[in-house]
Amino acid sequence: PLTIRASEIQALAAGEIEAWLAEPEHLPLWKSRHTWIQLYTRTDSQDQTSLEIIDANRLGVLLDALQADGDVWIAPLGEVAIWALANGQAASAGDDLLWEAAPPGAQPWNGFACAFSFSTDDGFRSNLTHYMPEFLGRGLSYTAFCSPEKIQIGDTGYELLLDSPGVLELADEGIEIGCNGMSR
């Protein structure tokens, strides 16, 4: 998928997000090209001013705008990838990291013009305290990437990392867990 970094959204005021999405190079282009978008964040900070974290207000505005559009499929990375592979989607001839609609059509992504996935990296607790509530409150899910070596039974020794019970809580709530390598 085409990747957008959290800092792009966090740098905007909450009131600017809908206008940013409406700009010709964002949602209109993604829909016209039937793009799969991934919003990526690596968050090891509870500091709400960090550009690596999308604060709840901005994330809520973004998710609400995408849902209100009605033509964006919001789903975890694995769910979109499995659907795409089963339905003839393929990597672009020009860039194997981008996926094109195949066959092209008005609604190539599970009945939507484009797909949107959100992912976090490194298994930080912000998945439980910050992102999961925003997604679950809207009936949505996302992908939390974790490294098994960093997740220990019980306490991780680093209060910002998820422990095994935290990962299980995410999974029990329907958040997709991805592996970004045994030790990252």
Side-chain angles (χ1 to χ4, degrees), residues 91-107:
S92 165
D95 184 345
D96 61 2
L97 295 178
L98 295 178
W99 289 46
E100 297 177 334
Q107 308 298 334

Side-chain angles (χ1 to χ4, degrees), residues 6-173:
S7 59
E8 289 183 59
I9 304 300
Q10 187 63 21
L12 300 169
E16 297 173 326
I17 292 173
E18 289 187 54
W20 178 86
L21 270 176
E23 290 174 1
E25 68 272 18
H26 296 121
L27 191 55
L29 180 65
W30 303 337
K31 288 169 48 176
S32 71
R33 291 193 178 167
H34 308 300
T35 306
W36 176 14
I37 306 301
Q38 173 195 11
L39 177 57
Y40 163 83
T41 184
R42 179 186 180 274
T43 305
D44 60 0
S45 172
Q46 295 300 318
D47 176 5
Q48 295 297 305
T49 62
S50 168
L51 289 180
E52 291 205 17
I53 190 170
I54 300 176
D55 69 66
N57 188 33
R58 285 176 179 83
L59 181 58
V61 169
L62 177 66
L63 292 173
D64 289 344
L66 291 171
Q67 280 189 303
D69 179 87
D71 210 9
V72 180
W73 179 29
I74 304 170
L77 287 164
E79 184 177 339
V80 176
I82 289 168
W83 183 91
L85 289 171
N87 288 279
Q89 305 293 47
S92 165
D95 184 345
D96 61 2
L97 295 178
L98 295 178
W99 289 46
E100 297 177 334
Q107 308 298 334
W109 292 99
N110 197 20
F112 296 88
C114 67
F116 175 87
S117 297
F118 179 82
S119 69
T120 64
D121 205 1
D122 293 340
F124 289 101
R125 290 198 62 78
S126 55
N127 282 285
L128 285 173
T129 62
H130 190 72
Y131 297 116
M132 185 175 71
E134 291 300 316
F135 278 81
L136 294 182
R138 291 165 174 81
L140 300 170
S141 185
Y142 68 97
T143 306
F145 283 96
C146 303
S147 297
E149 184 178 271
K150 294 185 180 215
I151 299 168
Q152 302 168 2
I153 302 298
D155 187 14
T156 62
Y158 182 56
E159 69 275 1
L160 295 178
L161 286 175
L162 288 166
D163 55 12
S164 293
V167 173
L168 292 173
E169 182 179 343
L170 287 172
D172 287 346
E173 292 292 340

